[in-house]
Amino acid sequence: MKIIALGSITLAAAVAMVTNAENTTPSDGLLRIPLARSESSRLKPDSTQLWYHTLHKYGLFRTKSEMESQAVAEMPLFDYYGLVDIGTPSQTVKLQFDTGSSRFVVSTTKCPDCSGTSPFNSDLSSSYRPGVEPWQIHYGDGSFAEGFIAEDKVTLGPISVQNQKLNLVVSESPNFDDTVDGVLGLSFGVISGSTTLFENMIKQELVDQGVFSFFFGKRSINGGGEVIFGGVDMDRIEPGSTITYTNVTEATHWNIDIQDFLVNGGSYAKYKNKAHIRAIVDTGTTLLVGPEVWVSWYHNQIAKARRFRNIWVVPCKGTGTLSVVIEGKSFVVPYEDLAREYIGFGLCFSSVQSSSADYLILGDVFLKNNYVVFDQAEKRVGFAPLKAEDKKVTSPAAVSEVENAASVRVQKEL
Ligand SMILES: *[C@@H]1O[C@H](CO)[C@@H](O)[C@H](O)[C@H]1NC(C)=O
């Protein structure tokens, strides 16, 4: 069995399936290993935190005060995670699958203050190979994670990757997400000089095809997601559609060229007199985060959109499907996904927010409406519309999250 799917089911089912992975007989040839959605006992992720998480990740704060204003905020809760086994005998950890980074970061029992629910204990693993090379991430606001790089076996269902480099966390600031144990980076390893888990799967000839594919389910349809390593689940795609591929422009992040954005009759390429717009496809980002000029243009197409301080808000019941044009094909995001939690006066937090970058980061808001294939071997990204029942609109996201802290905070200031 060489194709792995991380499928959408509840956590309980997920745990059962991971434990019994060898016993599951797939009917469609894809072995499904569960992916679930974070159930946090804390506040639901708020859009401001999700936005600031992306700014942190890419170092894109625009002003010092903006950075400091979030210094004490907790890192956001990640929506989706998968269960991954490390070591011998295997220990199951919860990881976020992140195409926007390249390291395999996991909390350890050596770090008493670490986030996470099931940290990795290297003392219990016979396949563990210790290392001394240090690593660290320091953010501008003082938050950090650090530790050393070691190796162990990593298992996803029937596939075991040998000698995977692990960025073990032994110390971190208290503001990290504590609903996952770490991050499984799926960009190109060259960013951090490491070899990603998927690059190792290719090297160790554990997959038939050098591609992995993501499906993100919406909250309204139970929310889980699915990642397939080594293949594509054509059943997720709108019948009659094909996958449109575009070459990666630089194999570091999943950088692609977008030809145009269309909304309410407006064309960004026409407005800018420019044919290509750089974007990074990032499963570890929730919103659509882009340069000021693009974000302002977008909101100028939406009636009654306005900027409150640095936050863009849009009418909760507005109109304007966003079309993202890639290789001549349009991939859409419905308006309902572009307006987030309720803020007041009929306005919602916009899914489109700005950064100091000159490129866009295409997060889950886009990915929840379109199936995405990351072709590591051919260095290209494929897109296809999700079939109708998988992209039912989450409506009104807005109203159900009215009590959310960020909304309240913004409402007061409005
Ligand atoms: C994409 O890259 C491949 C291989 O480098 C090349 O053959 C192909 O022409 C490229 N496609 C486009 C549309 O540029």
Side-chain angles (χ1 to χ4, degrees), residues 77-142:
L77 313 168
F78 294 120
D79 265 3
Y80 301 92
Y81 63 84
L83 301 181
V84 176
D85 289 343
I86 304 178
T88 312
S90 61
Q91 299 174 41
T92 304
V93 296
K94 288 185 188 177
L95 301 178
Q96 190 209 12
F97 289 72
D98 179 20
T99 63
S101 68
S102 62
R103 292 169 161 129
F104 191 120
V105 178
V106 64
S107 292
T108 66
T109 50
K110 305 265 186 301
C111 175
D113 299 327
C114 269
S115 57
T117 56
S118 47
F120 173 60
N121 184 349
S122 57
D123 293 345
L124 302 179
S125 172
S126 63
S127 48
Y128 177 72
R129 290 163 65 173
V132 291
E133 187 191 335
W135 71 276
Q136 52 184 267
I137 303 174
H138 282 261
Y139 292 112
D141 70 348

Side-chain angles (χ1 to χ4, degrees), residues 245-248 327 378-380:
Y245 285 96
T246 190
N247 285 345
V248 162
E327 300 290 345
E378 302 285 328
K379 295 189 170 58
R380 56 185 189 160

Side-chain angles (χ1 to χ4, degrees), residues 6 14 65 90 95 102 158 178 185 195 218 225 253 256 266 296 337 400 414:
L6 298 179
S65 70
S90 61
L95 301 178
S102 62
D178 65 5
T195 305
K218 293 188 179 183
H253 281 101
I256 59 165
S296 298
D337 284 345
S400 64
L414 272 174

Side-chain angles (χ1 to χ4, degrees), residues 20 22 39 73 76 84 130 144-145 150 205 242 253 256 268 330 389-390:
N20 301 312
E22 287 79 1
E39 293 297 337
V84 176
F144 67 93
E205 299 181 356
T242 54
H253 281 101
I256 59 165
Y268 184 66
S330 278
E389 62 255 48
D390 282 341

Side-chain angles (χ1 to χ4, degrees), residues 139-345:
Y139 292 112
D141 70 348
S143 60
F144 67 93
E146 58 190 28
F148 57 91
I149 299 173
E151 283 181 18
D152 208 334
K153 184 177 82 172
V154 173
T155 303
L156 283 171
I159 291 184
S160 283
V161 175
Q162 308 298 326
N163 307 326
Q164 174 65 40
K165 287 243 169 28
L166 307 173
N167 286 60
L168 299 179
V169 182
V170 295
S171 174
E172 73 178 26
S173 50
N175 55 346
F176 280 87
D177 184 356
D178 65 5
T179 61
V180 293
D181 301 303
V183 178
L184 196 170
L186 290 168
S187 66
F188 293 88
V190 64
I191 297 182
S192 60
S194 52
T195 305
T196 66
L197 184 74
F198 191 65
E199 287 169 340
N200 270 329
M201 284 186 191
I202 295 174
K203 263 193 191 162
Q204 296 176 19
E205 299 181 356
L206 301 171
V207 284
D208 286 335
Q209 286 178 276
V211 307
F212 58 92
S213 325
F214 269 86
F215 160 69
F216 284 123
K218 293 188 179 183
R219 205 180 290 277
S220 56
I221 51 167
N222 208 17
E226 174 181 278
V227 186
I228 295 175
F229 288 104
V232 176
D233 185 355
M234 292 303 287
D235 278 352
R236 293 286 183 197
I237 294 170
E238 198 171 81
S241 301
T242 54
I243 299 173
T244 299
Y245 285 96
T246 190
N247 285 345
V248 162
T249 52
E250 195 193 342
T252 49
H253 281 101
W254 290 95
N255 289 297
I256 59 165
D257 264 349
I258 290 179
Q259 287 168 322
D260 203 357
F261 290 90
L262 307 171
V263 60
N264 285 334
S267 151
Y268 184 66
K270 270 195 197 134
Y271 169 74
K272 282 288 282 179
N273 200 14
K274 192 172 167 221
H276 296 279
I277 301 131
R278 177 184 159 205
I280 292 175
V281 188
D282 183 4
T283 59
T285 279
T286 306
L287 306 179
L288 307 180
V289 179
E292 298 275 355
V293 58
W294 175 75
V295 173
S296 298
W297 166 83
Y298 166 77
H299 288 100
N300 286 339
Q301 317 304 308
I302 307 291
K304 299 204 174 98
R306 58 179 283 201
R307 188 171 209 170
F308 171 70
R309 299 247 172 110
N310 58 350
I311 297 173
W312 280 97
V313 296
V314 293
C316 299
K317 298 216 169 93
T319 51
T321 294
L322 175 65
S323 295
V324 179
V325 183
I326 299 166
E327 300 290 345
K329 292 239 171 66
S330 278
F331 298 92
V332 301
V333 182
Y335 189 82
E336 287 81 354
D337 284 345
L338 294 162
R340 300 178 65 81
E341 61 261 37
Y342 184 63
I343 282 172
F345 308 103

Side-chain angles (χ1 to χ4, degrees), residues 11 25 73 355:
L11 178 57
T25 318
S355 79

